[in-house]
Coordinates of all heavy atoms in Angstrom, one line a residue:
T153 N 25.6 142.3 145.7 CA 24.8 141.7 146.6 C 25.4 140.2 146.7 O 25.8 139.6 145.8 CB 23.4 141.7 146.3 OG1 23.3 141.1 145.0 CG2 22.8 143.1 146.3
M154 N 25.2 139.6 147.9 CA 25.6 138.2 148.2 C 24.5 137.3 147.8 O 23.4 137.6 148.0 CB 26.0 138.0 149.6 CG 27.4 138.4 150.0 SD 27.9 137.3 151.3 CE 29.2 138.3 152.0
K155 N 25.0 136.2 147.2 CA 24.0 135.1 146.8 C 23.6 134.5 148.0 O 24.4 134.3 148.9 CB 24.6 134.2 145.8 CG 24.8 134.9 144.4 CD 25.2 133.9 143.3 CE 26.6 133.2 143.4 NZ 27.6 134.0 143.0
T156 N 22.4 133.8 148.2 CA 22.0 133.2 149.4 C 23.0 132.0 149.6 O 23.2 131.7 150.9 CB 20.6 132.7 149.0 OG1 19.7 133.7 148.8 CG2 20.1 132.0 150.4
T157 N 23.3 131.3 148.6 CA 24.3 130.2 148.8 C 25.6 130.5 149.4 O 26.2 129.8 150.2 CB 24.7 129.5 147.3 OG1 25.1 130.5 146.4 CG2 23.5 128.8 146.9
E158 N 26.1 131.8 149.0 CA 27.3 132.3 149.7 C 27.2 132.5 151.2 O 28.1 132.1 152.0 CB 27.8 133.6 149.1 CG 28.4 133.4 147.6 CD 28.7 134.8 147.0 OE1 28.9 135.7 147.7 OE2 28.7 134.7 145.8
V159 N 26.0 133.2 151.5 CA 25.7 133.3 153.0 C 25.5 132.1 153.7 O 26.1 131.8 154.7 CB 24.5 134.1 153.1 CG1 24.1 134.5 154.6 CG2 24.8 135.6 152.4
Y160 N 24.7 131.2 153.1 CA 24.4 129.9 153.8 C 25.8 129.1 153.8 O 26.0 128.5 154.8 CB 23.3 129.1 152.9 CG 23.0 127.9 153.4 CD1 22.3 127.7 154.6 CD2 23.4 126.6 152.8 CE1 22.1 126.4 155.1 CE2 23.1 125.4 153.2 CZ 22.4 125.1 154.5 OH 22.2 123.9 155.0
G161 N 26.5 129.0 152.7 CA 27.7 128.4 152.6 C 28.6 128.7 153.7 O 29.3 127.9 154.4
N162 N 28.7 130.1 153.9 CA 29.7 130.5 154.9 C 29.2 130.3 156.4 O 30.0 129.9 157.3 CB 29.8 132.0 154.8 CG 31.1 132.4 154.0 OD1 32.1 131.7 154.0 ND2 31.1 133.5 153.3
S163 N 27.8 130.3 156.6 CA 27.3 130.1 157.9 C 27.5 128.5 158.3 O 27.8 128.3 159.4 CB 25.9 130.5 158.0 OG 25.0 129.8 157.2
V164 N 27.2 127.7 157.3 CA 27.5 126.2 157.5 C 29.0 126.0 157.9 O 29.4 125.3 159.0 CB 27.2 125.3 156.3 CG1 27.6 124.0 156.5 CG2 25.7 125.3 156.2
R165 N 29.8 126.5 157.1 CA 31.3 126.5 157.4 C 31.7 127.0 158.8 O 32.6 126.8 159.3 CB 32.2 127.2 156.3 CG 32.1 126.3 155.0 CD 32.5 127.1 153.8 NE 32.7 126.3 152.7 CZ 31.6 126.0 151.8 NH1 30.4 126.3 152.1 NH2 31.8 125.3 150.7
F166 N 31.0 128.3 159.1 CA 31.3 128.9 160.4 C 30.9 127.9 161.6 O 31.8 127.8 162.5 CB 30.5 130.1 160.5 CG 30.6 130.9 161.9 CD1 31.8 131.6 162.1 CD2 29.7 130.8 162.9 CE1 32.0 132.2 163.5 CE2 29.8 131.4 164.1 CZ 31.0 132.1 164.4
E167 N 29.8 127.2 161.4 CA 29.4 126.2 162.5 C 30.5 125.1 162.7 O 30.8 124.6 163.6 CB 28.0 125.8 162.2 CG 26.9 126.8 162.1 CD 26.7 127.3 163.7 OE1 26.9 126.4 164.6 OE2 26.4 128.5 163.8
R168 N 30.8 124.7 161.3 CA 32.0 123.6 161.2 C 33.1 124.0 161.9 O 33.8 123.2 162.7 CB 32.0 123.1 160.0 CG 30.9 122.3 159.4 CD 31.2 121.7 157.9 NE 30.0 121.1 157.5 CZ 29.6 121.0 156.2 NH1 30.4 121.7 155.2 NH2 28.6 120.4 155.8
G169 N 33.4 125.3 161.8 CA 34.5 125.9 162.4 C 34.6 125.9 163.8 O 35.5 125.7 164.7
L170 N 33.5 126.3 164.3 CA 33.2 126.3 165.8 C 33.4 124.8 166.5 O 33.9 124.8 167.4 CB 31.7 126.9 166.2 CG 31.5 128.3 166.1 CD1 30.1 128.6 166.6 CD2 32.6 129.1 166.9
E171 N 32.9 123.9 165.6 CA 33.0 122.4 166.3 C 34.6 122.1 166.3 O 35.0 121.6 167.3 CB 32.4 121.5 165.1 CG 30.8 121.7 165.2 CD 30.3 121.3 166.6 OE1 30.8 120.3 167.2 OE2 29.5 122.0 167.0
L172 N 35.4 122.6 165.2 CA 36.8 122.3 165.3 C 37.4 123.0 166.5 O 38.3 122.4 167.0 CB 37.6 122.9 164.0 CG 37.2 122.1 162.8 CD1 37.7 122.8 161.5 CD2 37.7 120.6 162.9
I173 N 37.0 124.2 166.8 CA 37.5 124.9 168.0 C 37.2 124.0 169.3 O 38.0 123.8 170.1 CB 37.0 126.4 168.1 CG1 37.5 127.1 166.9 CG2 37.3 127.0 169.4 CD1 36.8 128.5 166.8
K174 N 35.9 123.7 169.4 CA 35.4 123.0 170.6 C 36.2 121.7 170.8 O 36.3 121.1 171.9 CB 33.8 122.6 170.3 CG 32.9 124.0 170.5 CD 31.6 123.4 170.4 CE 30.6 124.6 170.1 NZ 29.3 124.1 169.9
E175 N 36.5 121.1 169.7 CA 37.4 119.7 169.6 C 38.8 119.9 169.9 O 39.5 119.0 169.9 CB 37.0 119.1 168.3 CG 35.6 118.5 168.0 CD 35.3 118.1 166.7 OE1 36.2 118.1 166.0 OE2 34.1 118.1 166.4
G176 N 39.2 121.1 169.9 CA 40.7 121.4 170.4 C 41.5 121.2 169.1 O 42.7 120.9 169.4
K177 N 41.0 121.5 168.0 CA 41.9 121.2 166.8 C 42.5 122.4 166.2 O 43.1 122.3 165.1 CB 40.9 120.4 165.8 CG 40.6 119.1 166.2 CD 39.8 118.2 165.2 CE 39.5 116.9 165.7 NZ 38.6 116.1 164.8
V178 N 42.4 123.6 166.8 CA 42.9 124.8 166.2 C 44.0 125.2 167.0 O 44.0 125.3 168.3 CB 41.8 125.9 166.1 CG1 42.4 127.2 165.6 CG2 40.6 125.4 165.4
F179 N 45.3 125.4 166.5 CA 46.4 125.8 167.1 C 46.9 127.0 166.5 O 47.3 127.2 165.4 CB 47.5 124.7 167.1 CG 47.0 123.3 167.6 CD1 46.4 122.5 166.9 CD2 47.2 123.1 168.9 CE1 45.8 121.3 167.4 CE2 46.8 121.9 169.6 CZ 46.0 120.9 168.8
L180 N 46.8 128.2 167.3 CA 47.3 129.5 166.9 C 48.7 129.6 167.1 O 49.2 129.2 168.1 CB 46.5 130.5 167.7 CG 45.0 130.5 167.6 CD1 44.3 131.4 168.6 CD2 44.5 131.0 166.1
S181 N 49.5 130.2 166.0 CA 50.9 130.4 166.1 C 51.2 131.4 167.3 O 50.6 132.5 167.3 CB 51.4 130.9 164.8 OG 52.6 131.3 165.0
R182 N 52.2 131.2 168.1 CA 52.6 132.0 169.1 C 53.4 133.1 168.5 O 53.6 134.3 168.8 CB 53.4 131.4 170.3 CG 52.4 130.7 171.1 CD 53.3 130.0 172.3 NE 52.4 129.3 173.2 CZ 52.1 128.1 173.1 NH1 52.6 127.3 172.1 NH2 51.3 127.5 173.9
E183 N 54.3 132.8 167.4 CA 55.1 133.7 166.7 C 54.5 134.8 165.8 O 54.9 135.9 165.7 CB 56.2 132.8 165.9 CG 57.1 132.0 166.7 CD 56.6 130.7 167.0 OE1 55.8 130.1 166.2 OE2 56.7 130.4 168.1
N184 N 53.4 134.3 165.0 CA 52.8 135.1 164.1 C 51.3 135.1 164.3 O 50.6 134.1 164.2 CB 53.1 134.5 162.8 CG 52.5 135.4 161.5 OD1 51.5 136.1 161.7 ND2 53.1 135.4 160.4
P185 N 50.6 136.3 164.8 CA 49.3 136.2 165.1 C 48.3 135.9 163.9 O 47.1 135.8 164.1 CB 49.0 137.6 165.6 CG 50.2 138.4 165.0 CD 51.3 137.7 164.9
Y186 N 48.8 135.8 162.7 CA 48.0 135.6 161.5 C 48.1 134.1 160.9 O 47.8 134.0 159.8 CB 48.2 136.7 160.5 CG 47.9 138.1 161.0 CD1 49.0 139.0 161.3 CD2 46.6 138.4 161.2 CE1 48.7 140.2 161.9 CE2 46.3 139.6 161.7 CZ 47.4 140.5 162.0 OH 47.0 141.8 162.7
R187 N 48.7 133.3 161.8 CA 48.9 131.9 161.3 C 48.3 131.0 162.4 O 48.3 131.2 163.5 CB 50.5 131.7 161.1 CG 51.3 132.4 160.2 CD 50.9 132.2 158.8 NE 51.4 133.1 158.0 CZ 51.8 132.8 156.6 NH1 51.5 131.6 156.1 NH2 52.3 133.8 155.8
A188 N 47.8 129.8 161.8 CA 47.2 128.7 162.6 C 47.4 127.5 161.9 O 47.6 127.5 160.7 CB 45.9 129.1 162.9
I189 N 47.4 126.5 162.7 CA 47.2 125.1 162.1 C 46.0 124.5 162.6 O 45.6 124.5 163.7 CB 48.4 124.2 162.7 CG1 49.7 124.8 162.3 CG2 48.2 122.8 162.1 CD1 50.0 124.7 160.7
V190 N 45.1 124.0 161.7 CA 43.9 123.3 161.9 C 44.1 121.8 161.6 O 44.4 121.5 160.6 CB 42.8 124.0 161.2 CG1 41.4 123.4 161.5 CG2 42.6 125.5 161.4
K191 N 43.9 121.0 162.7 CA 44.0 119.6 162.5 C 42.8 119.0 161.7 O 41.7 119.2 162.1 CB 44.2 118.9 163.9 CG 45.5 118.9 164.5 CD 45.4 118.2 165.8 CE 45.2 116.6 165.7 NZ 46.5 115.8 166.0
G192 N 43.3 118.2 160.6 CA 42.2 117.6 159.9 C 42.3 116.2 160.3 O 43.1 115.7 161.0
K193 N 41.4 115.3 159.6 CA 41.4 113.9 159.7 C 42.8 113.3 159.3 O 43.3 112.4 160.2 CB 40.2 113.2 159.0 CG 38.8 113.4 159.7 CD 37.8 112.7 158.9 CE 36.4 113.2 159.5 NZ 35.9 114.4 158.9
E194 N 43.2 113.6 158.1 CA 44.4 112.9 157.7 C 45.6 114.0 157.6 O 46.7 113.5 157.7 CB 44.1 112.4 156.3 CG 43.4 111.1 156.3 CD 42.3 110.9 155.4 OE1 42.6 111.3 154.1 OE2 41.2 110.5 155.5
V195 N 45.2 115.2 157.4 CA 46.4 116.2 157.3 C 46.2 117.3 158.1 O 44.9 117.7 158.5 CB 46.7 116.6 155.8 CG1 47.2 115.5 154.9 CG2 45.5 117.3 155.2
N196 N 47.1 118.2 158.5 CA 46.9 119.4 159.1 C 47.0 120.6 158.1 O 47.7 120.6 157.2 CB 47.9 119.6 160.2 CG 47.9 118.6 161.2 OD1 46.9 117.9 161.5 ND2 49.0 118.4 161.9
Y197 N 46.1 121.6 158.3 CA 45.9 122.7 157.5 C 46.5 123.9 158.0 O 46.1 124.5 159.0 CB 44.5 122.9 157.1 CG 43.8 121.8 156.4 CD1 43.1 120.8 157.1 CD2 44.1 121.5 155.1 CE1 42.6 119.6 156.3 CE2 43.5 120.3 154.4 CZ 42.9 119.6 155.1 OH 42.2 118.3 154.5
P198 N 47.6 124.5 157.2 CA 48.2 125.8 157.7 C 47.3 127.0 157.1 O 47.1 127.0 156.0 CB 49.5 125.8 157.1 CG 49.5 124.8 155.9 CD 48.5 123.9 156.2
V199 N 46.7 127.7 158.0 CA 45.8 128.7 157.6 C 46.5 130.2 157.8 O 47.1 130.3 158.9 CB 44.5 128.7 158.5 CG1 43.7 129.9 158.1 CG2 43.8 127.5 158.3
N200 N 46.4 131.0 156.9 CA 46.8 132.4 156.8 C 45.5 133.1 157.2 O 44.7 133.4 156.3 CB 47.6 132.8 155.6 CG 48.1 134.1 155.7 OD1 47.5 135.0 156.4 ND2 49.2 134.4 154.9
I201 N 45.5 133.7 158.4 CA 44.3 134.4 158.8 C 44.3 135.7 158.2 O 43.1 136.2 157.7 CB 44.4 134.6 160.3 CG1 44.3 133.2 161.0 CG2 43.2 135.4 160.9 CD1 44.6 133.2 162.5
A202 N 45.4 136.4 158.0 CA 45.3 137.7 157.3 C 44.9 137.6 156.0 O 44.0 138.3 155.4 CB 46.6 138.3 157.4
A203 N 45.4 136.6 155.2 CA 45.1 136.4 153.8 C 43.9 135.7 153.6 O 43.3 135.6 152.4 CB 46.3 135.8 153.0
Q204 N 43.4 134.9 154.5 CA 42.2 134.2 154.5 C 42.3 133.0 153.5 O 41.5 132.9 152.6 CB 40.9 135.0 154.3 CG 40.6 136.0 155.3 CD 39.9 135.4 156.4 OE1 38.7 135.4 156.5 NE2 40.6 135.1 157.5
T205 N 43.6 132.4 153.7 CA 43.8 131.4 152.7 C 44.0 130.0 153.4 O 44.5 130.0 154.5 CB 45.1 131.7 151.8 OG1 46.2 131.8 152.7 CG2 44.9 132.7 150.9
C206 N 43.7 128.9 152.8 CA 43.9 127.5 153.3 C 44.1 126.6 152.2 O 43.4 126.9 151.1 CB 42.6 127.1 154.1 SG 42.8 125.4 154.7
P207 N 45.0 125.6 152.2 CA 45.2 124.8 151.1 C 44.2 123.6 151.0 O 44.3 122.8 150.0 CB 46.7 124.0 151.4 CG 46.6 124.2 153.0 CD 45.8 125.3 153.4
C208 N 43.1 123.5 151.6 CA 42.1 122.6 151.6 C 41.4 122.6 150.2 O 41.4 123.5 149.5 CB 41.2 122.5 152.7 SG 40.0 123.7 152.7
E209 N 40.8 121.3 150.0 CA 40.0 121.2 148.7 C 38.8 122.0 148.7 O 38.6 122.6 147.6 CB 39.6 119.8 148.6 CG 39.0 119.4 147.3 CD 40.0 119.4 146.2 OE1 41.2 119.3 146.3 OE2 39.4 119.7 145.0
D210 N 38.2 122.2 149.7 CA 37.0 123.1 149.7 C 37.4 124.6 149.3 O 36.7 125.2 148.6 CB 36.4 123.1 151.1 CG 35.0 124.0 151.2 OD1 34.3 123.8 150.3 OD2 34.8 124.7 152.2
H211 N 38.4 125.1 150.0 CA 38.9 126.4 149.6 C 39.4 126.6 148.2 O 39.1 127.7 147.6 CB 39.8 126.9 150.6 CG 40.2 128.4 150.5 ND1 39.2 129.4 150.8 CD2 41.2 129.1 150.4 CE1 39.7 130.5 150.6 NE2 40.9 130.5 150.2
R212 N 39.9 125.5 147.7 CA 40.3 125.7 146.3 C 39.1 125.6 145.4 O 39.2 126.4 144.3 CB 41.4 124.4 146.0 CG 42.7 124.6 146.4 CD 43.6 123.7 145.5 NE 43.4 122.3 145.8 CZ 43.9 121.5 146.7 NH1 44.8 122.0 147.5 NH2 43.7 120.3 146.7
R213 N 38.1 124.8 145.6 CA 37.0 124.8 144.9 C 36.1 126.0 145.0 O 35.4 126.4 144.0 CB 36.1 123.5 145.2 CG 36.6 122.3 144.7 CD 35.5 121.3 144.6 NE 36.0 120.1 144.3 CZ 35.8 118.8 145.1 NH1 35.0 118.9 146.0 NH2 36.4 117.7 144.6
H214 N 36.0 126.5 146.2 CA 35.1 127.7 146.5 C 36.0 128.8 147.1 O 35.6 129.2 148.2 CB 33.9 127.2 147.4 CG 33.2 126.1 146.9 ND1 32.3 126.2 146.0 CD2 33.3 124.8 147.3 CE1 31.7 124.9 145.7 NE2 32.4 124.1 146.5
P215 N 36.8 129.6 146.4 CA 37.6 130.5 146.9 C 36.8 131.8 147.5 O 37.4 132.5 148.3 CB 38.7 130.9 145.8 CG 37.9 130.5 144.6 CD 37.1 129.3 145.0
D216 N 35.7 131.9 147.0 CA 34.8 133.0 147.5 C 34.3 132.8 148.7 O 33.7 133.7 149.4 CB 33.7 133.2 146.4 CG 32.8 132.0 146.1 OD1 33.4 131.0 146.0 OD2 31.6 132.2 145.9
L217 N 34.3 131.6 149.2 CA 33.8 131.2 150.5 C 35.0 130.9 151.6 O 36.0 130.4 151.1 CB 32.8 129.9 150.5 CG 31.6 130.0 149.7 CD1 30.9 128.7 149.6 CD2 30.7 131.1 150.4
L218 N 34.7 131.1 152.7 CA 35.7 130.8 153.8 C 35.5 129.3 154.3 O 34.6 129.1 155.0 CB 35.6 131.8 154.9 CG 35.8 133.3 154.4 CD1 35.6 134.2 155.7 CD2 37.1 133.5 153.9
C219 N 36.5 128.4 154.1 CA 36.3 127.0 154.4 C 36.2 127.0 156.0 O 36.5 127.9 156.8 CB 37.5 126.2 153.9 SG 39.0 126.7 154.7
K220 N 35.8 125.8 156.5 CA 35.7 125.6 157.9 C 37.1 126.0 158.6 O 37.1 126.3 159.8 CB 35.2 124.4 158.3 CG 36.0 123.1 157.9 CD 35.4 121.8 158.2 CE 36.2 120.6 157.9 NZ 35.6 119.3 158.1
H221 N 38.2 125.6 158.0 CA 39.5 125.8 158.8 C 39.8 127.3 158.8 O 40.3 127.7 159.9 CB 40.5 125.1 157.7 CG 40.3 123.7 157.4 ND1 39.9 123.3 156.1 CD2 40.3 122.6 158.2 CE1 39.8 122.0 156.1 NE2 39.8 121.6 157.3
I222 N 39.6 128.1 157.9 CA 39.7 129.5 158.0 C 38.7 130.1 159.0 O 39.1 130.9 159.7 CB 39.5 130.3 156.5 CG1 40.5 129.8 155.5 CG2 39.4 131.8 156.7 CD1 40.4 130.3 154.1
Q223 N 37.5 129.6 158.9 CA 36.5 130.1 159.8 C 36.9 129.7 161.3 O 37.0 130.7 162.2 CB 35.2 129.4 159.6 CG 34.6 129.8 158.3 CD 33.7 131.0 158.4 OE1 33.7 131.7 159.3 NE2 33.1 131.3 157.4
A224 N 37.5 128.5 161.4 CA 38.1 128.1 162.8 C 39.1 129.0 163.2 O 39.1 129.5 164.4 CB 38.4 126.6 162.8
A225 N 40.0 129.2 162.4 CA 41.3 130.0 162.8 C 40.9 131.4 163.1 O 41.5 132.0 164.1 CB 42.2 129.8 161.6
T226 N 40.1 132.0 162.2 CA 39.7 133.4 162.5 C 39.0 133.6 163.6 O 39.3 134.4 164.4 CB 38.9 133.9 161.1 OG1 39.7 133.7 160.0 CG2 38.6 135.3 161.4
T227 N 38.1 132.7 163.9 CA 37.2 132.8 165.2 C 38.0 132.5 166.4 O 37.9 133.1 167.5 CB 36.0 131.6 165.1 OG1 35.3 132.0 163.9 CG2 35.3 131.9 166.3
A228 N 39.0 131.6 166.4 CA 39.8 131.3 167.5 C 40.8 132.6 167.8 O 40.9 132.8 169.1 CB 40.8 130.0 167.2
R229 N 41.2 133.1 166.9 CA 42.0 134.3 167.1 C 41.1 135.4 167.8 O 41.6 136.1 168.6 CB 42.5 134.8 165.8 CG 43.5 136.1 165.8 CD 44.6 135.9 166.8 NE 45.7 135.2 166.2 CZ 46.6 134.6 167.0 NH1 46.6 134.8 168.3 NH2 47.5 133.9 166.4
K230 N 40.0 135.5 167.3 CA 39.0 136.6 167.8 C 38.6 136.3 169.3 O 38.5 137.2 170.1 CB 37.7 136.7 166.9 CG 38.0 137.5 165.6 CD 36.8 137.5 164.8 CE 37.0 138.2 163.6 NZ 35.9 138.2 162.6
I231 N 38.6 135.0 169.6 CA 38.2 134.6 171.0 C 39.5 134.8 171.8 O 39.4 135.4 172.9 CB 38.0 133.0 171.0 CG1 36.7 132.7 170.4 CG2 37.9 132.5 172.5 CD1 36.4 131.4 170.0
Q232 N 40.7 134.6 171.3 CA 42.0 134.8 172.0 C 42.2 136.2 172.3 O 42.7 136.6 173.4 CB 43.2 134.3 171.2 CG 44.5 134.3 171.9 CD 45.7 134.0 171.1 OE1 45.9 134.6 170.1 NE2 46.5 132.9 171.5
T233 N 41.7 137.1 171.3 CA 42.0 138.5 171.5 C 40.8 139.2 172.3 O 40.8 140.5 172.5 CB 42.2 139.4 170.1 OG1 41.1 139.2 169.3 CG2 43.4 138.7 169.5
G234 N 39.8 138.5 172.6 CA 38.7 139.0 173.3 C 37.8 139.7 172.4 O 36.8 140.4 173.0
E235 N 37.9 139.6 171.1 CA 37.0 140.3 170.1 C 35.5 139.8 170.2 O 34.6 140.4 170.1 CB 37.5 140.3 168.7 CG 37.0 141.3 167.8 CD 37.6 141.2 166.3 OE1 38.7 141.0 166.3 OE2 36.9 141.2 165.4
I236 N 35.5 138.4 170.4 CA 34.3 137.7 170.6 C 34.4 136.8 171.8 O 35.5 136.3 172.1 CB 33.8 136.9 169.3 CG1 34.9 136.0 168.9 CG2 33.4 137.9 168.2 CD1 34.3 135.0 167.8
V237 N 33.3 136.6 172.5 CA 33.3 135.6 173.5 C 32.3 134.5 173.2 O 31.1 134.8 172.8 CB 32.9 136.4 174.8 CG1 32.7 135.5 176.0 CG2 33.8 137.6 175.1
I238 N 32.6 133.3 173.6 CA 31.8 132.3 173.3 C 31.5 131.5 174.7 O 32.4 131.3 175.4 CB 32.3 131.2 172.2 CG1 33.8 130.9 172.5 CG2 32.0 131.7 170.8 CD1 34.3 129.8 171.7
P239 N 30.3 131.1 174.8 CA 29.8 130.5 176.2 C 30.2 129.1 176.3 O 29.3 128.4 176.8 CB 28.4 130.8 176.2 CG 28.0 130.7 174.8 CD 29.2 131.1 173.9
Y240 N 31.2 128.5 175.9 CA 31.6 127.2 176.2 C 33.1 127.0 176.5 O 33.9 127.9 176.1 CB 31.1 126.2 175.1 CG 31.5 126.5 173.8 CD1 32.8 126.2 173.4 CD2 30.7 127.1 172.8 CE1 33.3 126.6 172.1 CE2 31.1 127.4 171.6 CZ 32.4 127.2 171.2 OH 32.8 127.4 170.0
E241 N 33.5 125.8 177.0 CA 34.8 125.5 177.3 C 35.3 125.0 176.1 O 34.9 124.2 175.3 CB 34.9 124.5 178.3 CG 34.4 124.9 179.7 CD 35.3 125.9 180.3 OE1 36.6 125.7 180.2 OE2 34.9 127.0 180.8
V242 N 36.7 125.4 175.9 CA 37.6 124.9 174.7 C 38.5 123.9 175.3 O 39.1 124.0 176.2 CB 38.3 126.1 174.0 CG1 39.1 125.5 172.9 CG2 37.3 127.0 173.4
K243 N 38.5 122.6 174.5 CA 39.4 121.6 175.1 C 40.8 121.8 175.2 O 41.4 121.4 176.1 CB 39.1 120.2 174.3 CG 37.7 119.7 174.6 CD 37.5 118.5 173.8 CE 36.1 117.9 174.0 NZ 35.7 117.0 173.1
N244 N 41.4 122.5 174.3 CA 42.9 122.7 174.4 C 43.2 123.8 175.2 O 43.6 124.8 175.0 CB 43.7 122.7 173.2 CG 43.5 123.7 172.0 OD1 42.5 124.5 172.3 ND2 44.1 123.7 170.9

């Protein structure tokens, strides 16, 4: 069973991931459907969507949770493939 903090932690990160998409900070690789770059404040984060990995501090500290960068990249890919539809405009 999942702990409440895991579910809450993931949902908060999911919301933050959506913000990154809305802000146009998620760049999906054209060559590899499982790679993306998520622009951070100071550095860009290469995300492996298939492996669900990201080099950010949050993901290193909480590998059981999906950081906002992984959430953003995964959601952006699902939007691109039509797996999910979101009712707002994306800037990039």
Side-chain angles (χ1 to χ4, degrees):
T153 56
M154 275 211 202
K155 296 192 285 281
T156 308
T157 51
E158 286 176 19
V159 175
Y160 179 70
N162 266 333
S163 63
V164 168
R165 287 165 173 83
F166 178 76
E167 291 299 325
R168 289 183 184 149
L170 283 181
E171 290 302 314
L172 290 169
I173 294 170
K174 289 180 194 176
E175 291 163 13
K177 293 183 177 173
V178 181
F179 300 89
L180 299 167
S181 168
R182 287 188 177 87
E183 295 81 40
N184 184 332
Y186 299 106
R187 300 289 174 152
I189 298 290
V190 180
K191 275 181 69 108
K193 285 184 187 82
E194 283 138 41
V195 296
N196 296 335
Y197 297 96
V199 173
N200 182 324
I201 297 168
Q204 300 279 274
T205 57
C206 176
C208 78
E209 188 63 31
D210 183 42
H211 190 62
R212 277 205 299 273
R213 280 203 193 127
H214 307 283
D216 54 321
L217 294 174
L218 302 176
C219 70
K220 66 184 179 182
H221 310 109
I222 296 172
Q223 295 275 11
T226 303
T227 303
R229 177 60 72 200
K230 288 179 177 175
I231 292 164
Q232 188 188 56
T233 60
E235 191 177 326
I236 58 173
V237 177
I238 47 169
Y240 55 75
E241 292 294 311
V242 176
K243 286 180 186 167
N244 67 351

